[in-house]
Amino acid sequence: MRRAMRNALVSAGLLLGLGPVALLSPGAWADAPAPAPGPPSRPPVPAVARIWPVGVRPLVLRGWEPPATVYGPGHRGVDLSAPAGAPVRAVSAGRVTFAGRVAGKGVVSVGLAGTDLRTTYEPVTPSVRKGDTVGPGEVVGAVEPAGSHCGAATCVHWGLRRGEAYLDPLSLLPPWLLHGGPPRLLPVLGVPLPG
């Protein structure tokens, strides 16, 4: 039955001048599918930070290592060297979205003003509460002496998220803060010498 039907279609196509390929190919019956849309473009991370979360220019013990898949291995933030008890500061203005304990560690999360980003700091003993507004450089807690995943060293794990996506928190730092360079002494002009 199928063979007879196929032969009839081919014969009809030949009579109409379409040829067997045009009549039987799927492209003859439907439009070509539209190309699949690419992944949505994400806006860049604005360099809104005005201060490091700890210290002046802390040592980065471990950098950001994005996972290959959502649940894959990686390091979803940066570890900054900091002594126990050191103040932890908000890097930019925002509102505290979480301050409490997660899996036995103190965590503070701040939604950054004017963005869809939020930063996290752990292990931190919070000095703020959910809903508090913080300014850049304002203390949000202190480094906890235990609970660090940095081994023998104490550190602060600084994270950055946009929705459910993890981003590199160092991208929040403007170049002048990230790559400060050595200090430079400038001449002092117009000041009388002592004596």
Side-chain angles (χ1 to χ4, degrees):
M1 174 81 173
R2 284 186 184 173
R3 183 173 281 198
M5 196 167 208
R6 181 177 168 171
N7 287 337
L9 285 173
V10 170
S11 298
L14 290 173
L15 286 175
L16 294 173
L18 298 175
V21 173
L23 194 64
L24 296 176
S25 68
W29 299 322
D31 293 335
S41 64
R42 291 188 177 150
V45 173
V48 296
R50 295 295 167 251
I51 189 169
W52 284 87
V54 291
V56 176
R57 175 98 169 91
L59 178 64
V60 176
L61 298 174
R62 184 173 177 194
W64 184 63
E65 300 164 12
T69 63
V70 176
Y71 300 108
H75 193 238
R76 293 161 173 85
V78 295
D79 293 337
L80 305 174
S81 177
V88 178
R89 302 177 185 280
V91 297
S92 183
R95 183 173 303 279
V96 177
T97 58
F98 181 83
R101 301 204 72 73
V102 175
K105 293 187 222 175
V107 177
V108 173
S109 183
V110 177
L112 303 181
T115 72
D116 58 349
L117 302 169
R118 69 184 183 278
T119 58
T120 57
Y121 312 95
E122 66 174 270
V124 173
T125 301
S127 61
V128 292
R129 293 189 312 221
K130 181 178 178 179
D132 287 352
T133 301
V134 295
E138 190 171 329
V139 175
V140 296
V143 178
E144 290 182 347
S148 172
H149 66 262
C150 292
T154 55
C155 70
V156 169
H157 179 82
W158 178 29
L160 176 65
R161 291 178 78 171
R162 174 180 280 135
E164 297 302 312
Y166 291 90
L167 304 169
D168 182 2
L170 294 178
S171 61
L172 288 171
L173 298 171
W176 61 267
L177 192 55
L178 186 60
H179 309 291
R184 295 183 184 163
L185 296 177
L186 299 175
V188 178
L189 302 174
V191 177
L193 293 174

